[in-house]
Amino acid sequence: MKKLLLGDEAIAQGAIDAGLSGVYSYPGTPSTEITEYIQKHAPQIRSRWCTNEKTAMEAALGMSYAGKRALVCMKHVGMNVCADAFINSAITGVQGGLVVLAADDPSMHSSQNEQDSRFYAEFAMVPAFEPSNQQEAYEMVSEAFEWSERFRLPVLMRVVTRMAHSRAAVQTGAPRTQNALSPASGKNWVLLPGIARRQYASLIQKQEDIRAAVSGSTGIEWTGEGELGIVACGIGYNYVKEALQTSAAAVRGILKVNRYPVSVEAVKELSQKCSRILVVEDGQPVVERTLPAMTAIKVEGRLTGALPRTGELSPDCVALALGAAAPATLPPARHLAARPPQLCPGCGHRDVYKALGEVAAGYPDARIFGDIGCYTLGALPPFSALASCVDMGASITMAKGAADAGVFPAIAVIGDSTFTHSGMTGLLDAVNDHANITIVISDNLTTAMTGGQDSAGTSKFEAICLGLGVEPEHLHVVVPLPANMAEITRIIREEIEYKGVSVIIPRRECMQTLKRHSKK
Amino acid sequence: MKTDIILCGVGGQGILSIATVIGEAATKAGLQLKQAEVHGMSQRGGDVQSHLRLSTDTIWSDLIPSGGADLIISMEPMEALRYLPWLSPSGRIVTASAPLVNIPDYPDIDAIKGELEGLGCATLVDIDALAREAGAPRSSNMALLGAAASRLGIIDPQALLDAIKTVFSSKGEAIVESNIKAFELGCKHHV
C-alpha cells in the first residue's frame, strides 16, 4: 500500500510494521511526529509520553530486556539527557530489538545547537543508520531492529530536519508480529566492574562483525570518467544527485553512506580510482574527520571550506561544491522585514512576562533565567526579558548559582513540562541550600512548543514542590490574566523580598490546546 | 516534466492544507512528489514555507534549488517577496493581497504591492473577499489555490477539485461545498 508520509511518519509506520511493542519518547522538534503517529495509528503499542529522554531510554531498555522490540525517539539534544543509559546499553547489550531514533536539527530551526548524533553512535560503538529518503526510512527501521537483535546491541537511527519533515510516497510492506515475552537471563546486565569488563570486551569483539555487515550492504555507484570521488551521507546523497542532473562535474563514483561505521573497504575502493574525495554530510564533519585514516588521497568537505562549516546542506551549496555555476536568480526583495515567531495572542506566558517586567523594573540588577519552550520567546521584543536559555531545567539551577554568587533578584522562568523533565532535581538543590531565588513555573497544562502533547506533571505541581521542601507560605498559584496583574505583581515582589526559595505557578491553558478542545 | 512550488505565509494561515490538496491530486495522478514542511517554533506566527516538488521523474532533493521554483503561492504579500531568490526567472507568483501585520516594522503595504507588480509575474488576489463570497471566511486558502490552479501546469484544475472533496470529506458536506465554491471563485479570478 502506498501512503504519503513525512519522514517521521515513515519511521513510525516502519516501526509499527517491524513488530514494535513500545515507543518511549519526550517531544522535541523534529522528532515529535513519530510518536504521535504511533499513538494515533497503533493503539496496541505502548506509547505514553515520558518525563524525559533518560526515563524513555531506560524504559525502552527494560522492554528490550524482556525480549520485546522498543523504540526511543528524541531530538538530538535529548541524546545528551539519555547518554548515560544509551552508552551503557551498548555494554549490557539488548535482548529484544532496541532502536534509538535521534532527529538532528542542522541550521537550528528549532534548537539551541546543531550537534551530530552520529558522534554518539561512534562513542557507544553501536551501528548507526541514516536514511536518505522516506522509503528508505520505512525499510531501514525494520532492518535496524534485525541488526539490533543480530548483534545484541542498540542501533542508532539518525535523521535530520529535512528528512523528518519532508513528505513523499512510501510503499509499505507486510507487518511482523511482536516478539513473545522472553526476559534475559544470566548476569550480563549487572554492570559491576568485573562483569562490565567482560561485556566491554564482547562489545569490542562485535565491531568486526558490524564492519563486515556494513561493507556487505555498501556499494559504489560508478558514474563517469572523472577523478572526483564523492562520499554522500544520508540526504546529502539527494543533493549530489540533484546537482549532477545539470552539472557536468567530473565525478567518478559515489559512495552512498546510510550505515555506520563507514566501510573502510568501500572508501579504499573509491580512492583507487580517484584523486580526491568530497564528503557531503549534513550536520557536523563526522565522516570527513575519520576518512584520512582510511585513504591517502585528498579529502574535502566542511572542514576544508568546500562546503559551509555550519548550517544544513542545501541543493545550492552542494551544486557549488561540485563546480556548478551559480543559478540565475532574482535579487532579494527590497520591502521585506524579518518575521520571528512570537507568543500567541492571549497566551498566559504574555501576562507572566508583563508582570515580571513590571516588577523587575524596580530592581535594576534583576536577572531572569529562562528555559526551553514557547516562553523562551520572552527573550524577544516586546518583552526582552531573559538573561539565559541553555538546556532543559537550567533556569532554576542557573538562578541558584547566580544567587550564590550574589545576583539579586535571581528569577527562574520554566514551563510545566520542562520542570518535570529536568527542573525538579534543581529545585531540591535550591531548597536544600536555602537559595535566595524566585521560581516561576508557567503552567499551560501541556507541552506546547511541540504541538500540545501531555505534560507529565499536570495537576501535580503543588504536591511536587511541597514534597521537595518548598514552604507552603512561599508557594503560590495565580491565574495569568490582565485582570489579575495587581495581585500577580504584588506576589512576585513579596517573594523576591523573601530570602529563600519561592515558587509561583501561573496556571492557564495554552491557547492552541484551548482552541482544539473547544472545537471538540 | 516537473513543477516546483514554494508555498508560503505566516504560521497558522493554513498553507499546509493547500499542500495537502495538491499532494492528494498529485498522488492520484501518479506523479512523484516531495514536500518539505516547517514544523516547530516558526509555526507560532513566524514566516513559514513549504517546498513542494512534483514531477513525472525521480525527485532527488527535498528542497528546491535557488532560481528553480516555477511558482510561489503565498497567503501574504510580503511573504511572497521573501522567496524571490528561489523563483525561476520565468516563474510566477500568486499571492493574497491583504497584509498580515504582526511585527512592528512591517513595510509600507503599497511599496510591497508596487514591488510585486513591478516584477511583471505576480498576481495579487483578494482571497478574503472570495472566501466571504463563498460563504466561508476560513476557505480563503482554497480561493488562493483556485487562483493559482491554471499555473500548476502538471496538474489540471479538475484534479484539484476532486482532491478538495477527498481531503475535506471527513469534515462534512457543508465544509466541502464552501471550499469548492472558494476554489472555483479563485479559478475565475486568475488573469
Side-chain angles (χ1 to χ4, degrees):
Chain A
M1 188 178 161
K2 239 177 178 173
K3 292 179 180 174
L4 208 51
L5 298 177
L6 286 177
D8 274 351
E9 295 169 344
I11 289 162
Q13 187 64 52
I16 294 169
D17 292 347
L20 186 72
S21 295
V23 57
Y24 297 91
S25 314
Y26 183 78
T29 312
S31 71
T32 314
E33 294 84 352
I34 302 170
T35 305
E36 285 185 325
Y37 184 96
I38 294 173
Q39 290 177 339
K40 188 171 170 196
H41 296 276
Q44 76 278 14
I45 291 170
R46 196 92 190 178
S47 68
R48 194 183 169 89
W49 291 106
C50 300
T51 302
N52 65 35
E53 293 85 352
K54 180 175 180 286
T55 67
M57 178 72 212
E58 290 157 351
L61 188 60
M63 180 165 272
S64 164
Y65 176 93
K68 300 201 176 186
R69 296 191 193 104
L71 174 69
V72 193
C73 304
M74 67 197 82
K75 67 182 292 166
H76 58 345
V77 286
M79 287 298 292
N80 305 332
V81 179
C82 77
D84 197 358
F86 174 70
I87 303 290
N88 288 310
S89 70
I91 312 286
T92 59
V94 308
Q95 176 84 349
L98 176 58
V99 175
V100 179
L101 185 293
D104 292 0
D105 190 19
S107 278
M108 308 180 218
H109 298 281
S110 281
S111 305
Q112 70 272 47
N113 74 29
E114 51 179 38
Q115 67 181 56
D116 193 314
S117 297
R118 292 176 298 169
F119 280 116
Y120 271 111
E122 197 184 318
F123 190 26
M125 292 188 279
V126 302
F129 286 11
E130 184 183 15
S132 69
N133 60 50
Q134 293 75 0
Q135 183 68 42
E136 219 171 80
Y138 172 80
E139 289 164 11
M140 282 193 119
V141 179
S142 187
E143 194 186 334
F145 277 110
E146 281 162 25
W147 280 42
S148 176
E149 289 177 359
R150 175 167 148 211
F151 296 113
R152 301 257 164 209
L153 284 177
V155 172
L156 182 90
M157 188 140 161
R158 183 235 189 188
V159 294
V160 294
T161 302
R162 294 300 176 185
M163 174 75 228
H165 287 168
S166 179
R167 210 175 282 278
V170 173
Q171 178 72 49
T172 61
R176 289 172 59 179
T177 52
Q178 295 188 16
N179 285 353
L181 178 67
S182 82
S185 53
K187 298 285 177 218
N188 291 353
W189 292 68
V190 185
L191 295 184
L192 284 165
I195 299 168
R197 279 182 214 113
R198 201 176 63 221
Q199 288 295 102
Y200 185 48
S202 147
L203 172 62
I204 303 278
Q205 264 186 354
K206 290 175 184 175
Q207 300 302 306
E208 210 36 63
D209 297 335
I210 295 170
R211 278 190 210 105
V214 172
S215 288
S217 52
T218 305
I220 293 169
E221 188 180 330
W222 299 107
T223 49
E225 286 305 309
E227 54 182 36
L228 174 64
I230 294 178
V231 173
C233 308
I235 65 166
Y237 176 77
N238 303 336
Y239 297 134
V240 170
K241 295 292 281 186
E242 178 88 20
L244 292 181
Q245 284 179 328
T246 49
S247 151
V251 175
R252 185 63 186 264
I254 305 170
L255 169 57
K256 178 179 175 180
V257 174
N258 49 15
R259 295 174 188 82
Y260 300 87
V262 174
S263 162
V264 179
E265 290 80 9
V267 172
K268 284 193 182 348
E269 190 187 346
L270 184 66
S271 301
Q272 276 165 7
K273 296 193 176 164
C274 303
S275 66
R276 62 191 176 98
I277 285 179
L278 174 70
V279 182
V280 180
E281 55 189 325
D282 219 347
Q284 294 180 302
V286 175
V287 171
E288 187 183 354
R289 269 175 60 255
T290 55
L291 233 47
M294 304 180 199
T295 176
I297 67 172
K298 196 174 161 199
V299 175
E300 296 173 344
R302 288 179 180 269
L303 288 172
T304 64
L307 287 162
R309 180 66 180 82
T310 63
E312 64 180 347
L313 293 174
S314 69
D316 297 335
C317 74
V318 174
L320 210 63
L322 288 171
T329 58
L330 297 168
R334 284 171 290 128
H335 301 95
L336 187 58
R339 200 189 299 259
Q342 49 190 273
L343 292 169
C344 302
C347 169
H349 295 317
R350 284 182 176 271
D351 300 303
V352 170
Y353 281 118
K354 185 156 183 297
L356 281 171
E358 260 183 63
V359 175
Y363 295 92
D365 297 327
R367 292 290 188 281
I368 302 175
F369 298 89
D371 226 301
I372 312 260
C374 285
Y375 51 95
T376 315
L377 294 170
L380 304 177
F383 305 110
S384 305
L386 300 182
S388 73
C389 161
V390 181
D391 67 280
M392 297 287 280
S395 57
I396 295 175
T397 29
M398 281 188 69
K400 178 188 185 296
D404 291 350
V407 169
F408 175 79
I411 301 165
V413 175
I414 187 167
D416 49 312
S417 185
T418 306
F419 176 74
T420 42
H421 180 289
S422 290
M424 298 188 292
T425 44
L427 176 57
L428 183 59
D429 279 352
V431 167
N432 287 346
D433 202 23
H434 304 289
N436 187 17
I437 60 175
T438 305
I439 299 164
V440 176
I441 303 175
S442 197
D443 181 7
N444 58 7
L445 306 167
T446 190
T447 312
M449 177 100 276
T450 45
Q453 295 74 28
D454 290 342
S455 174
T458 297
S459 81
K460 301 187 179 82
F461 290 100
E462 291 91 316
I464 291 171
C465 292
L466 293 172
L468 289 173
V470 175
E471 292 163 29
E473 58 274 33
H474 296 290
L475 174 65
H476 305 268
V477 178
V478 297
V479 181
L481 281 169
N484 301 338
M485 207 45 72
E487 178 206 357
I488 299 169
T489 50
R490 177 183 56 77
I491 291 173
I492 296 174
R493 253 187 224 106
E494 284 171 11
E495 292 307 333
I496 283 175
E497 289 303 327
Y498 166 66
K499 304 289 178 241
V501 176
S502 329
V503 175
I504 302 164
I505 307 177
R507 178 174 296 139
R508 180 153 70 78
E509 188 179 2
C510 164
M511 297 305 287
Q512 298 287 334
T513 56
L514 180 68
K515 237 185 269 173
R516 233 174 290 157
H517 291 155
S518 54
K519 262 186 209 166
K520 279 177 187 169
Chain B
M1 190 181 177
K2 64 109 189 167
T3 300
D4 284 339
I5 306 164
I6 302 251
L7 282 164
C8 54
V10 180
Q13 280 191 316
I15 67 163
L16 289 182
S17 303
I18 301 180
T20 305
V21 170
I22 299 177
E24 168 68 24
T27 309
K28 271 260 162 66
L31 294 170
Q32 307 275 330
L33 172 150
K34 276 199 174 182
Q35 180 196 327
E37 302 171 5
V38 172
H39 296 203
M41 198 176 241
S42 300
Q43 287 180 297
R44 301 278 172 272
D47 58 272
V48 290
Q49 85 295 121
S50 170
H51 289 226
L52 182 51
R53 313 193 73 186
L54 311 172
S55 178
T56 48
D57 305 309
T58 303
I59 302 164
W60 292 107
S61 168
D62 297 273
L63 299 175
I64 299 168
S66 293
D70 303 291
L71 186 60
I72 292 176
I73 302 178
S74 181
M75 288 293 290
E76 208 277 348
M78 182 181 78
E79 293 307 320
L81 287 176
R82 193 180 303 282
Y83 303 96
L84 286 189
W86 274 269
L87 191 64
S88 151
S90 59
R92 299 281 314 180
I93 298 173
V94 179
T95 178
S97 56
L100 193 159
V101 181
N102 64 349
I103 46 171
D105 54 345
Y106 192 94
D108 177 45
I109 181 60
D110 291 328
I112 289 174
K113 286 184 179 169
E115 184 167 0
L116 280 165
E117 278 155 5
L119 293 168
C121 64
T123 306
L124 283 81
V125 192
D126 186 350
I127 57 171
D128 299 325
L130 295 178
R132 276 195 303 274
E133 197 180 330
R138 293 189 56 194
S139 62
S140 58
N141 52 359
M142 289 303 115
L144 182 68
L145 178 59
S150 68
R151 306 282 180 195
L152 279 171
I154 203 162
I155 299 177
D156 65 84
Q158 183 58 44
L160 292 171
L161 199 77
D162 294 339
I164 292 174
K165 288 180 192 161
T166 312
V167 168
F168 291 99
S169 64
S170 64
K171 300 192 170 173
E173 193 56 33
I175 301 273
V176 171
E177 283 308 315
S178 58
N179 277 289
I180 284 178
K181 182 120 190 265
F183 176 80
E184 286 173 336
L185 288 169
C187 286
K188 279 184 207 144
H189 180 280
H190 90 88
V191 264

